[in-house]
Amino acid sequence: AQKITQTQPGMFVQEKEAVTLDCTYDTSDPSYGLFWYKQPSSGEMIFLIYQGSYDQQNATEGRYSLNFQKARKSANLVISASQLGDSAMYFCAMAGSARQLTFGSGTQLTVLP
Amino acid sequence: SAVISQKPSRDICQRGTSLTIQCQVDSQVTMMFWYRQQPGQSLTLIATANQGSEATYESGFVIDKFPISRPNLTFSTLTVSNMSPEDSSIYLCSVEPGTGPRTDTQYFGPGTRLTVL
């Protein structure tokens, strides 16, 4: 069974500052993928970034980077230079051998002007 | 990534009625999924929509309540049957177009926001 834990129900960050959203996971699959999605108030789910369990380097996509620490089973999302439009719910998710996504409970990020 | 549309975007329905939600993709995809997101909650997988065969349902979801069709590789429907207020949720379809950083990267439609009175 797979499990994703996001321990921060809500986070605040000042505009232009960096913020880290925490995600820890548990799985028995030797190969897996970790994903982050953004959900604005409109409800759509926007794919942000992906990290493979065998990837040697941390993933980066523009202002998003993933701090992957395999031994700690953590996959934290780092957003640099926060913008007001970054205010949204952020979900960490995992896919293992079953190709199904398991989602965490989410973190509501609020960017303050 | 694939362009995914859902209809309707939102609806308000009466208890005991049924609603069919459509999901259309602009390219052929093998895997399509349906998720439910109850208010203030995370996403829960309802079923995998299989083309040409019956959908594969997750524990806690049954075909009589959530019948799914998948007539071709670009289209699927989810019906929410005999609705109750507990069915008030956002329903999202997702696809694996096979073109993301990982072949099973899922991309989501805009969602259908359902309120049952």
Side-chain angles (χ1 to χ4, degrees), chain B residues 43-68:
Chain B
L43 278 74
T44 302
L45 180 65
I46 297 172
T48 302
N50 302 310
Q51 194 269 328
S53 64
E54 203 169 274
T56 305
Y57 289 85
E58 297 301 304
S59 175
F61 297 96
V62 295
I63 187 171
D64 290 345
K65 176 66 176 177
F66 297 102
I68 288 171

mmCIF file of all heavy atoms in Angstrom, chain B residues 43-68:
data_model
loop_
_atom_site.group_PDB
_atom_site.id
_atom_site.type_symbol
_atom_site.label_atom_id
_atom_site.label_comp_id
_atom_site.label_asym_id
_atom_site.label_seq_id
_atom_site.Cartn_x
_atom_site.Cartn_y
_atom_site.Cartn_z
ATOM 1 N N LEU B 43 -8.213 13.995 -3.375
ATOM 2 C CA LEU B 43 -8.813 13.245 -4.481
ATOM 3 C C LEU B 43 -8.819 11.757 -4.169
ATOM 4 O O LEU B 43 -7.834 11.208 -3.662
ATOM 5 C CB LEU B 43 -8.037 13.478 -5.767
ATOM 6 C CG LEU B 43 -8.345 14.742 -6.552
ATOM 7 C CD1 LEU B 43 -7.769 15.961 -5.857
ATOM 8 C CD2 LEU B 43 -7.835 14.637 -7.985
ATOM 9 N N THR B 44 -9.921 11.122 -4.552
ATOM 10 C CA THR B 44 -10.054 9.675 -4.402
ATOM 11 C C THR B 44 -10.405 9.081 -5.753
ATOM 12 O O THR B 44 -11.338 9.545 -6.417
ATOM 13 C CB THR B 44 -11.166 9.335 -3.395
ATOM 14 O OG1 THR B 44 -10.865 9.939 -2.126
ATOM 15 C CG2 THR B 44 -11.285 7.824 -3.214
ATOM 16 N N LEU B 45 -9.681 8.060 -6.146
ATOM 17 C CA LEU B 45 -9.930 7.400 -7.431
ATOM 18 C C LEU B 45 -11.226 6.604 -7.355
ATOM 19 O O LEU B 45 -11.391 5.771 -6.452
ATOM 20 C CB LEU B 45 -8.766 6.491 -7.783
ATOM 21 C CG LEU B 45 -8.869 5.716 -9.092
ATOM 22 C CD1 LEU B 45 -8.876 6.663 -10.293
ATOM 23 C CD2 LEU B 45 -7.727 4.707 -9.221
ATOM 24 N N ILE B 46 -12.130 6.868 -8.303
ATOM 25 C CA ILE B 46 -13.376 6.105 -8.391
ATOM 26 C C ILE B 46 -13.135 4.844 -9.214
ATOM 27 O O ILE B 46 -13.441 3.731 -8.778
ATOM 28 C CB ILE B 46 -14.500 6.940 -9.046
ATOM 29 C CG1 ILE B 46 -14.828 8.167 -8.199
ATOM 30 C CG2 ILE B 46 -15.733 6.074 -9.275
ATOM 31 C CD1 ILE B 46 -15.797 9.135 -8.871
ATOM 32 N N ALA B 47 -12.601 5.030 -10.413
ATOM 33 C CA ALA B 47 -12.439 3.893 -11.314
ATOM 34 C C ALA B 47 -11.511 4.255 -12.461
ATOM 35 O O ALA B 47 -11.288 5.427 -12.761
ATOM 36 C CB ALA B 47 -13.785 3.453 -11.871
ATOM 37 N N THR B 48 -11.008 3.227 -13.092
ATOM 38 C CA THR B 48 -10.262 3.338 -14.345
ATOM 39 C C THR B 48 -11.219 2.995 -15.465
ATOM 40 O O THR B 48 -11.849 1.925 -15.448
ATOM 41 C CB THR B 48 -9.075 2.365 -14.349
ATOM 42 O OG1 THR B 48 -8.239 2.647 -13.225
ATOM 43 C CG2 THR B 48 -8.271 2.492 -15.627
ATOM 44 N N ALA B 49 -11.339 3.895 -16.434
ATOM 45 C CA ALA B 49 -12.245 3.676 -17.563
ATOM 46 C C ALA B 49 -11.501 2.942 -18.658
ATOM 47 O O ALA B 49 -10.550 3.469 -19.234
ATOM 48 C CB ALA B 49 -12.767 5.018 -18.082
ATOM 49 N N ASN B 50 -11.897 1.732 -18.940
ATOM 50 C CA ASN B 50 -11.227 0.882 -19.920
ATOM 51 C C ASN B 50 -11.978 0.929 -21.243
ATOM 52 O O ASN B 50 -13.205 0.747 -21.278
ATOM 53 C CB ASN B 50 -11.158 -0.556 -19.413
ATOM 54 C CG ASN B 50 -10.430 -0.652 -18.077
ATOM 55 O OD1 ASN B 50 -9.336 -0.135 -17.909
ATOM 56 N ND2 ASN B 50 -11.058 -1.314 -17.109
ATOM 57 N N GLN B 51 -11.259 1.146 -22.329
ATOM 58 C CA GLN B 51 -11.892 1.208 -23.634
ATOM 59 C C GLN B 51 -12.319 -0.174 -24.076
ATOM 60 O O GLN B 51 -11.502 -1.090 -24.114
ATOM 61 C CB GLN B 51 -10.940 1.846 -24.648
ATOM 62 C CG GLN B 51 -11.608 2.267 -25.946
ATOM 63 C CD GLN B 51 -11.581 1.180 -27.009
ATOM 64 O OE1 GLN B 51 -10.651 0.399 -27.050
ATOM 65 N NE2 GLN B 51 -12.590 1.154 -27.851
ATOM 66 N N GLY B 52 -13.597 -0.320 -24.363
ATOM 67 C CA GLY B 52 -14.110 -1.580 -24.877
ATOM 68 C C GLY B 52 -14.408 -2.630 -23.838
ATOM 69 O O GLY B 52 -14.791 -3.754 -24.179
ATOM 70 N N SER B 53 -14.244 -2.289 -22.578
ATOM 71 C CA SER B 53 -14.569 -3.251 -21.521
ATOM 72 C C SER B 53 -15.067 -2.507 -20.296
ATOM 73 O O SER B 53 -15.043 -1.273 -20.252
ATOM 74 C CB SER B 53 -13.358 -4.121 -21.174
ATOM 75 O OG SER B 53 -12.322 -3.332 -20.638
ATOM 76 N N GLU B 54 -15.507 -3.255 -19.302
ATOM 77 C CA GLU B 54 -16.065 -2.647 -18.104
ATOM 78 C C GLU B 54 -14.988 -1.895 -17.329
ATOM 79 O O GLU B 54 -13.829 -2.312 -17.286
ATOM 80 C CB GLU B 54 -16.678 -3.753 -17.234
ATOM 81 C CG GLU B 54 -17.746 -3.289 -16.278
ATOM 82 C CD GLU B 54 -18.481 -4.469 -15.662
ATOM 83 O OE1 GLU B 54 -19.442 -4.962 -16.277
ATOM 84 O OE2 GLU B 54 -18.072 -4.885 -14.562
ATOM 85 N N ALA B 55 -15.398 -0.836 -16.663
ATOM 86 C CA ALA B 55 -14.466 -0.064 -15.862
ATOM 87 C C ALA B 55 -14.005 -0.876 -14.656
ATOM 88 O O ALA B 55 -14.701 -1.789 -14.186
ATOM 89 C CB ALA B 55 -15.125 1.233 -15.396
ATOM 90 N N THR B 56 -12.837 -0.519 -14.153
ATOM 91 C CA THR B 56 -12.283 -1.154 -12.953
ATOM 92 C C THR B 56 -12.495 -0.224 -11.780
ATOM 93 O O THR B 56 -11.900 0.861 -11.735
ATOM 94 C CB THR B 56 -10.784 -1.436 -13.141
ATOM 95 O OG1 THR B 56 -10.581 -2.214 -14.317
ATOM 96 C CG2 THR B 56 -10.232 -2.175 -11.931
ATOM 97 N N TYR B 57 -13.312 -0.650 -10.831
ATOM 98 C CA TYR B 57 -13.708 0.214 -9.721
ATOM 99 C C TYR B 57 -12.830 -0.011 -8.493
ATOM 100 O O TYR B 57 -12.404 -1.127 -8.208
ATOM 101 C CB TYR B 57 -15.175 -0.033 -9.356
ATOM 102 C CG TYR B 57 -16.122 0.499 -10.401
ATOM 103 C CD1 TYR B 57 -16.457 -0.256 -11.518
ATOM 104 C CD2 TYR B 57 -16.668 1.771 -10.279
ATOM 105 C CE1 TYR B 57 -17.306 0.240 -12.498
ATOM 106 C CE2 TYR B 57 -17.530 2.276 -11.236
ATOM 107 C CZ TYR B 57 -17.833 1.507 -12.352
ATOM 108 O OH TYR B 57 -18.672 2.016 -13.315
ATOM 109 N N GLU B 58 -12.611 1.066 -7.769
ATOM 110 C CA GLU B 58 -11.865 1.001 -6.519
ATOM 111 C C GLU B 58 -12.810 0.591 -5.391
ATOM 112 O O GLU B 58 -14.039 0.670 -5.504
ATOM 113 C CB GLU B 58 -11.236 2.357 -6.204
ATOM 114 C CG GLU B 58 -10.220 2.785 -7.238
ATOM 115 C CD GLU B 58 -9.076 1.799 -7.385
ATOM 116 O OE1 GLU B 58 -8.409 1.504 -6.362
ATOM 117 O OE2 GLU B 58 -8.859 1.308 -8.507
ATOM 118 N N SER B 59 -12.184 0.161 -4.317
ATOM 119 C CA SER B 59 -12.957 -0.257 -3.147
ATOM 120 C C SER B 59 -13.848 0.890 -2.679
ATOM 121 O O SER B 59 -13.397 2.033 -2.541
ATOM 122 C CB SER B 59 -11.995 -0.679 -2.034
ATOM 123 O OG SER B 59 -12.694 -0.989 -0.857
ATOM 124 N N GLY B 60 -15.103 0.570 -2.446
ATOM 125 C CA GLY B 60 -16.048 1.576 -1.976
ATOM 126 C C GLY B 60 -16.873 2.205 -3.075
ATOM 127 O O GLY B 60 -17.797 2.979 -2.782
ATOM 128 N N PHE B 61 -16.571 1.896 -4.313
ATOM 129 C CA PHE B 61 -17.313 2.441 -5.458
ATOM 130 C C PHE B 61 -17.863 1.281 -6.273
ATOM 131 O O PHE B 61 -17.146 0.307 -6.527
ATOM 132 C CB PHE B 61 -16.414 3.315 -6.324
ATOM 133 C CG PHE B 61 -15.888 4.533 -5.614
ATOM 134 C CD1 PHE B 61 -14.637 4.515 -5.035
ATOM 135 C CD2 PHE B 61 -16.654 5.686 -5.517
ATOM 136 C CE1 PHE B 61 -14.148 5.626 -4.368
ATOM 137 C CE2 PHE B 61 -16.175 6.807 -4.852
ATOM 138 C CZ PHE B 61 -14.916 6.777 -4.266
ATOM 139 N N VAL B 62 -19.139 1.387 -6.667
ATOM 140 C CA VAL B 62 -19.783 0.297 -7.394
ATOM 141 C C VAL B 62 -20.392 0.802 -8.689
ATOM 142 O O VAL B 62 -20.764 1.974 -8.820
ATOM 143 C CB VAL B 62 -20.866 -0.392 -6.523
ATOM 144 C CG1 VAL B 62 -20.222 -1.071 -5.322
ATOM 145 C CG2 VAL B 62 -21.934 0.605 -6.081
ATOM 146 N N ILE B 63 -20.519 -0.115 -9.627
ATOM 147 C CA ILE B 63 -20.987 0.235 -10.964
ATOM 148 C C ILE B 63 -22.422 0.744 -10.959
ATOM 149 O O ILE B 63 -22.772 1.613 -11.755
ATOM 150 C CB ILE B 63 -20.837 -0.984 -11.909
ATOM 151 C CG1 ILE B 63 -21.142 -0.602 -13.352
ATOM 152 C CG2 ILE B 63 -21.711 -2.138 -11.449
ATOM 153 C CD1 ILE B 63 -20.800 -1.686 -14.364
ATOM 154 N N ASP B 64 -23.255 0.240 -10.085
ATOM 155 C CA ASP B 64 -24.647 0.680 -10.055
ATOM 156 C C ASP B 64 -24.758 2.154 -9.676
ATOM 157 O O ASP B 64 -25.658 2.849 -10.130
ATOM 158 C CB ASP B 64 -25.460 -0.161 -9.062
ATOM 159 C CG ASP B 64 -25.666 -1.577 -9.548
ATOM 160 O OD1 ASP B 64 -25.432 -1.830 -10.752
ATOM 161 O OD2 ASP B 64 -26.047 -2.440 -8.738
ATOM 162 N N LYS B 65 -23.866 2.618 -8.844
ATOM 163 C CA LYS B 65 -23.890 4.006 -8.391
ATOM 164 C C LYS B 65 -23.124 4.922 -9.347
ATOM 165 O O LYS B 65 -23.531 6.043 -9.591
ATOM 166 C CB LYS B 65 -23.247 4.082 -6.999
ATOM 167 C CG LYS B 65 -23.107 5.488 -6.430
ATOM 168 C CD LYS B 65 -24.441 6.131 -6.133
ATOM 169 C CE LYS B 65 -24.254 7.491 -5.467
ATOM 170 N NZ LYS B 65 -25.566 8.159 -5.225
ATOM 171 N N PHE B 66 -22.040 4.426 -9.913
ATOM 172 C CA PHE B 66 -21.179 5.233 -10.796
ATOM 173 C C PHE B 66 -20.915 4.497 -12.112
ATOM 174 O O PHE B 66 -19.769 4.129 -12.407
ATOM 175 C CB PHE B 66 -19.848 5.539 -10.102
ATOM 176 C CG PHE B 66 -19.963 6.355 -8.849
ATOM 177 C CD1 PHE B 66 -19.878 5.760 -7.596
ATOM 178 C CD2 PHE B 66 -20.155 7.728 -8.909
ATOM 179 C CE1 PHE B 66 -19.982 6.516 -6.434
ATOM 180 C CE2 PHE B 66 -20.251 8.493 -7.755
ATOM 181 C CZ PHE B 66 -20.172 7.885 -6.521
ATOM 182 N N PRO B 67 -21.924 4.271 -12.932
ATOM 183 C CA PRO B 67 -21.662 3.625 -14.222
ATOM 184 C C PRO B 67 -20.769 4.495 -15.100
ATOM 185 O O PRO B 67 -20.925 5.720 -15.150
ATOM 186 C CB PRO B 67 -23.068 3.447 -14.825
ATOM 187 C CG PRO B 67 -23.955 4.354 -14.058
ATOM 188 C CD PRO B 67 -23.352 4.563 -12.712
ATOM 189 N N ILE B 68 -19.852 3.846 -15.788
ATOM 190 C CA ILE B 68 -18.865 4.531 -16.624
ATOM 191 C C ILE B 68 -18.903 3.924 -18.013
ATOM 192 O O ILE B 68 -18.985 2.705 -18.168
ATOM 193 C CB ILE B 68 -17.453 4.382 -16.016
ATOM 194 C CG1 ILE B 68 -17.315 5.229 -14.748
ATOM 195 C CG2 ILE B 68 -16.372 4.759 -17.024
ATOM 196 C CD1 ILE B 68 -16.035 4.972 -13.975
#
